[in-house]
Amino acid sequence: MEIPKTYDPKITEDKWYAHWQKHKFFKSTPDKREPYTIVIPPPNVTGVLHMGHMLNNTIQDVLIRMKRMQGYNACWVPGTDHASIATEAKVVALLKEKGIKKSDLTREEFLKYAWEWKDKYGGIILKQLEKLGASCDWDRTRFTMEDDLSEAVIDVFIDLHAKGQIYRGVRMVNWDPQGLTAVSDEEVIHKEVNSKLYYVKYKIENSEPTEYITIATTRPETILGDTAICVHPEDERYKHLKGKRVLVPIINRSVPVIFDDYIDIEFGTGALKVTPAHDINDYNLGVKHGLEVIDTIAADGKMSEAAQFYVGEDRFAVRKKIAKDLDEMGLIVKVEDIKNKVGYSERTDAVIEPKLSMQWFLKMDTISKPALENVLNGEIKLIPEKFTNTYKHWMENVHDWCISRQLWWGQQIPAWYDNKGNTVVCKTKEEALIKLRVKNLELRVEDVKQDEDVLDTWFSSWLWPISVFDGFKNPDGEDIRYYYPTNDLVTAPEILFFWVARMIIAGYEFITPDEKEHQRKISKKELSIYNPKGAKPFTNVYLTGIVRDKQGRKMSKSLGNSPDPIELIEKYGADGVRVGMLLCSPAGNDLPFDESMCEQGRNFSNKIWNAFRLINGWEVNPDGKQSEASKISVEWFDAKFNEQLNLINDLYSKYRMSEALMTTYKLVWDDFCAWYLEMIKPEFVDGKSLPIDKATYDATIIFFEKILKVLHPFMPFITEEIWHLIAERKEKDCIIVAEWPIAVKENTAILKDFEVVMEVISNIRTIRKQKNISPKEKLKVFEKVNQGEIIKSYDGIIIKLCNLSSFEYVNQKVDGALSFVLKHAEFYVPISQNIDIEVEKERLAKDLEYNKGFLKSVEIKLSNEKFVANAKPEMIANEKKKQADAEAKIKAIEEQLMSLS
RNA sequence: GGGAGCUUAGCUCAGCUGGUUCAGAGCAUCGCCCUUACAAGGCGAGGGUCACUGGUUCGAACCCAGUAGCUCCCA
């Protein structure tokens, strides 16, 4: 059968993925083995795969495949997130296209559309992960809004409410006027923008008509909601205003002048207009000074009735209009261009309005304590470590978490209200009725209303590592006990607080590792799960970088700068894309994406493929005698492999994935293909390859299998394909479940010897290149050993790799030959063409100069009394050796120079 | 405004406890080669004042201080 020259991923990928699925290799059930568990960061259920997912999931798959091969019971739990704001926005947009307004629908009707949408598009992203080769246990696929998980969310809410951790109140929240919902602090992105700073005159009440105080504001549209002017108590400019009132322009409302050292005297005019309804700092001032709150901007970002002017117009339109009107009234002193930070909604990119509203909050002060402690004490490790600082800073300054969202898609808050302002928190309407009747005897069931809002999506995803193992539903279940705590979490630093920190909080809140403590909690009827292995949700958090385009911009749909991962896979193969991404993305570093990286990955696939073709094409002679050169080549590669495997294992243990891959890459490409295979490759005689001896062949097959295993986590498809082509195997004998090679201590002596051999080979090749000698022309080489004993074992290899007719040892210099000097010996290469003596002399002189310089630096060091006194003895011995070597080499070069002249 | 981090070859990054000629890797670049595994390849070559300025030290890419630039987080 003719094997194609290039590897074609198209014919292998789907085949092997189906094969793995068929034999349930991804499936995990608790058993006697040690578990290794990862829960996927659940992507948005209606999302499609982007490059960030690719990177993220590749890393997870590499980890899970390696651990699977190492004999762990590897379990990777997949699933999706209901992503309330994002999904609801998509559904609203889709309905709009159909001419349906959300406001015309009932909650039930809307949710019906949303579920339809979810059912239609919900599976896409998971299907795409299959293309990447993700070896998730698909039987375990979960969704944050499925019944069991939603029930857990509701129970947790009720539990935390009962513990007094959840409260409802009017607070200043971040309001998204487009999504029409509150969002948490973490969902606000502050961007620096160009703004205008307006200097506006406010008339002093009961004073001369010419008397004004000038304030500076970037938001003149909020003037209508002003309820005070604030200045610094120490500010000499305004001391005379004590006890005075000013008139708010346009609306002519009389408001007091208040004094507070919150004011920055330097900024603007040192006078601040106070709008408690529309700025968090103003709100705090308002609370402190007992100011009136006038909410002039409605939920949709348009001016409300309370504004009295410009009612119904958008705030940004009003900003321009009001500036113009003020100017016409002669109240604008000046307008400056400034840069300031403005908050945008993470989901809708609308400008966030600080807005007072009634929301539900989770107290964070005490509940977050163990989550901070256990990261600081190393119980949970962030990789790279630098994120620990950021984490600490956030956790020490954490605010209460606004968990209600004015949306329909999500878990509806289990709070119930009667018609008299009573509230209870419980699971069902029936329960609520009973509870409410205690206070409200006449209450009828129709008058019991559930809170309209849903919970923040993160209020469900923070339970993910517990709920995917049914920890809440079945707290003593085998799954939660076996798989929890999970091992590694792979995610983006952007969601360190949104998600990672909160999962840790949830772990310590709901899981108790202590049986007695658990019993105590049970008697108190708190929600609690006993897991002897610990409360933390995971041990290691691997934080990936952000995938950026060549210009360093974050890849995003709106910019259209993100390649379609599926197209990339079709073009370069899943293995190629995986390798491309991993090659240059150390943990925590951004990944500037360039397609050429995938090309490198694809080329690597091809290299492996061709190594297979070469080996596969050999005819084996069962009686053939193994040459000395082959024998030692086998010994060398065995040592090399072990050396590199030890290194690779070590890099994995430090989560240095890029480096583990690069080391593997070089092991395969350089050591195995470029050196080993060239060394043992049978010779070509009369247009035909000679057969290979069995001993070398068998060793080579074993090496190749080991190499395929080490490659497998990175390149699952090609390795599985070759695994089955290289030997007869049973259906279930797959590399995905093969054993990871065992690393033994390598033979360092042979590796050291080989470094010299390689140097010799490289020197001879360089001479060939420099003198333009055809690779086909056989050369003679002579070696004059000056130091140490003659080791002939490697001669065969040198002869083969340099295409020599002979390699001989001499005691004298060889005249009329090119030469090079190594530490221990001189080498002579006679060539047919004339030798340009001047060129040679120049070359040798350069070499001599270099070595003399080196010797000098060593001698300076050794003659330095302080060095000799302070340096470690090994260091001094080493310097002495360097000195001796350099002296020997200088001597040899000088002799050669003499012989040339 | 507060905090964290980064700056090493054209690009992306290693460089551990200061000590080998320690300045490295991959890619890219430049030569030569279509040598029966692979041109998606082979062989070879060039390329860096380790951001800058000082300091500590026998010795600094590495430790310290300052300066500049960049990034991120928080307000």
Side-chain angles (χ1 to χ4, degrees), chain A residues 204 231 233 238-245 256-259:
Chain A
I204 315 287
V231 295
Y238 303 118
K239 280 205 165 153
H240 66 286
L241 293 177
K242 196 146 198 177
K244 299 251 175 171
R245 296 180 74 84
V257 178
I258 60 170
F259 294 81

Side-chain angles (χ1 to χ4, degrees), chain A residues 796-860:
Chain A
I797 292 168
I798 298 172
I799 290 170
K800 189 163 185 179
L801 264 48
C802 295
N803 192 25
L804 306 182
S805 55
S806 71
F807 185 83
E808 291 170 31
Y809 291 85
V810 292
N811 294 319
Q812 296 297 317
K813 290 187 192 320
V814 176
D815 289 332
L818 295 170
S819 64
F820 59 94
V821 182
L822 299 185
K823 256 185 253 173
H824 70 295
E826 293 160 47
F827 294 81
Y828 297 90
V829 186
I831 57 171
S832 51
Q833 53 190 277
N834 284 331
I835 293 166
D836 186 332
I837 292 180
E838 287 313 309
V839 172
E840 285 310 299
K841 275 165 85 172
E842 206 175 300
R843 190 177 59 77
L844 283 167
K846 223 172 147 186
D847 200 15
L848 182 65
E849 192 188 344
Y850 174 82
N851 278 287
K852 278 186 167 168
F854 174 53
L855 178 63
K856 202 174 167 191
S857 76
V858 175
E859 281 171 341
I860 287 173

Side-chain angles (χ1 to χ4, degrees), chain A residues 25-171:
Chain A
F25 290 137
F26 307 157
K27 182 149 187 61
S28 170
T29 44
D31 60 22
K32 291 244 156 62
R33 290 174 296 165
E34 191 180 329
Y36 173 82
T37 315
I38 297 180
V39 291
I40 204 169
N44 179 349
V45 67
T46 58
V48 290
L49 203 65
H50 59 64
M51 297 310 290
H53 293 125
M54 292 283 282
L55 176 62
N56 211 296
N57 288 291
T58 299
I59 292 168
Q60 292 175 68
D61 195 47
V62 170
L63 290 170
I64 214 92
R65 282 179 186 269
M66 189 201 43
K67 294 290 181 178
R68 190 182 287 123
M69 293 174 82
Q70 289 182 339
Y72 291 87
N73 184 348
C75 180
W76 183 10
V77 183
T80 48
D81 189 292
H82 65 279
S84 54
I85 298 183
T87 305
E88 182 151 331
K90 276 188 195 171
V91 176
V92 168
L94 184 87
L95 290 174
K96 203 173 172 187
E97 272 173 37
K98 290 189 185 172
I100 304 170
K101 282 205 280 188
K102 182 188 165 191
S103 52
D104 293 342
L105 297 176
T106 64
R107 187 178 193 119
E108 286 64 37
E109 285 165 342
F110 178 81
L111 285 176
K112 196 169 156 268
Y113 280 116
W115 278 106
E116 269 171 26
W117 166 273
K118 183 259 166 189
D119 291 338
K120 191 168 171 193
Y121 299 100
I124 292 179
I125 194 156
L126 299 181
K127 279 281 160 216
Q128 290 181 314
L129 282 178
E130 294 184 5
K131 293 276 173 208
L132 182 65
S135 58
C136 306
D137 182 354
W138 297 109
D139 294 345
R140 292 181 175 274
T141 306
R142 306 307 290 259
F143 173 50
T144 53
M145 232 169 102
E146 68 183 61
D147 291 346
D148 288 350
L149 273 65
S150 285
E151 198 183 345
V153 169
I154 297 303
D155 288 343
V156 158
F157 183 95
I158 294 168
D159 176 64
L160 289 171
H161 182 265
K163 288 175 184 166
Q165 296 283 6
I166 285 178
Y167 64 92
R168 187 174 186 235
V170 174
R171 293 288 185 283

Side-chain angles (χ1 to χ4, degrees), chain A residues 300 302-305 309-314 318:
Chain A
D300 57 1
K302 292 177 179 154
M303 304 308 284
S304 70
E305 293 291 335
F309 293 83
Y310 314 102
V311 174
E313 295 183 53
D314 186 80
V318 173

Side-chain angles (χ1 to χ4, degrees), chain A residues 326-594:
Chain A
L326 287 170
D327 198 24
E328 280 167 8
M329 295 161 82
L331 295 176
I332 298 271
V333 178
K334 60 175 173 174
V335 180
E336 274 177 4
D337 288 320
I338 62 154
K339 277 190 189 335
N340 67 338
K341 293 264 180 106
V342 173
Y344 287 78
S345 165
E346 213 224 353
R347 292 293 171 197
T348 64
D349 207 36
V351 173
I352 292 292
E353 280 298 325
K355 186 172 166 58
L356 277 174
S357 69
M358 179 70 97
Q359 302 287 347
W360 289 92
F361 294 87
L362 174 62
K363 285 188 200 166
M364 295 294 273
D365 48 0
T366 52
I367 202 175
S368 63
K369 287 266 152 37
L372 174 58
E373 266 166 42
N374 285 288
V375 168
L376 293 185
N377 68 18
E379 180 70 12
I380 297 168
K381 286 193 194 71
L382 304 185
I383 299 156
E385 227 177 319
K386 65 177 177 186
F387 285 106
T388 310
N389 280 329
T390 321
Y391 181 86
K392 176 171 180 266
H393 189 252
W394 188 79
M395 289 298 264
E396 284 173 348
N397 297 287
V398 65
H399 297 108
D400 287 357
W401 173 13
C402 174
I403 52 173
S404 43
R405 296 290 181 275
Q406 289 63 53
L407 300 167
W408 283 344
W409 178 246
Q411 287 96 8
Q412 194 172 355
I413 292 177
W416 310 81
Y417 309 106
D418 67 3
N419 47 5
K420 291 189 176 167
N422 295 309
T423 307
V424 292
V425 168
C426 59
K427 217 159 181 171
T428 63
K429 195 169 190 173
E430 292 69 36
E431 234 180 295
L433 183 65
I434 295 165
K435 286 190 168 181
L436 285 165
R437 274 202 179 141
V438 175
K439 297 173 192 165
N440 186 351
L441 293 172
E442 305 298 305
L443 184 65
R444 294 176 311 170
V445 69
E446 343 34 307
D447 291 325
V448 176
K449 294 272 184 288
Q450 184 171 7
D451 196 301
E452 288 288 315
D453 293 352
V454 299
L455 288 157
D456 180 10
T457 306
W458 302 104
F459 197 81
S460 60
S461 39
W462 75 323
L463 307 176
W464 186 247
I466 305 173
S467 56
V468 295
F469 299 118
D470 290 327
F472 294 103
K473 197 184 166 202
N474 186 8
D476 297 318
E478 204 181 10
D479 275 5
I480 188 78
R481 296 240 181 153
Y482 183 73
Y483 293 113
Y484 192 98
T486 69
N487 297 74
D488 299 337
L489 178 80
V490 180
T491 191
E494 307 160 276
I495 54 174
L496 186 57
F497 308 124
F498 278 121
W499 191 47
V500 180
R502 289 170 183 163
M503 280 190 287
I504 301 174
I505 293 172
Y508 286 99
E509 181 66 19
F510 302 114
I511 304 253
T512 155
D514 179 343
E515 174 79 32
K516 278 187 194 153
E517 181 71 5
H518 176 64
Q519 291 301 336
R520 192 186 64 78
K521 283 196 178 179
I522 286 181
S523 65
K524 273 181 72 186
K525 283 194 184 167
E526 278 179 14
L527 195 59
S528 114
I529 300 157
Y530 171 56
N531 185 310
K533 290 189 293 172
K536 61 183 175 182
F538 30 70
T539 303
N540 300 295
V541 182
Y542 181 104
L543 294 150
T544 63
I546 296 164
V547 183
R548 298 180 181 278
D549 69 3
K550 275 190 198 166
Q551 283 117 57
R553 297 174 305 180
K554 197 170 155 179
M555 286 193 171
S556 74
K557 220 178 289 167
S558 52
L559 279 172
N561 58 349
S562 177
D564 176 1
I566 301 302
E567 278 173 26
L568 283 176
I569 288 174
E570 271 163 22
K571 202 163 161 195
Y572 300 102
D575 293 331
V577 177
R578 290 165 68 114
V579 165
M581 302 208 74
L582 276 188
L583 266 176
C584 49
S585 60
N589 271 42
D590 285 0
L591 170 70
F593 186 78
D594 186 335

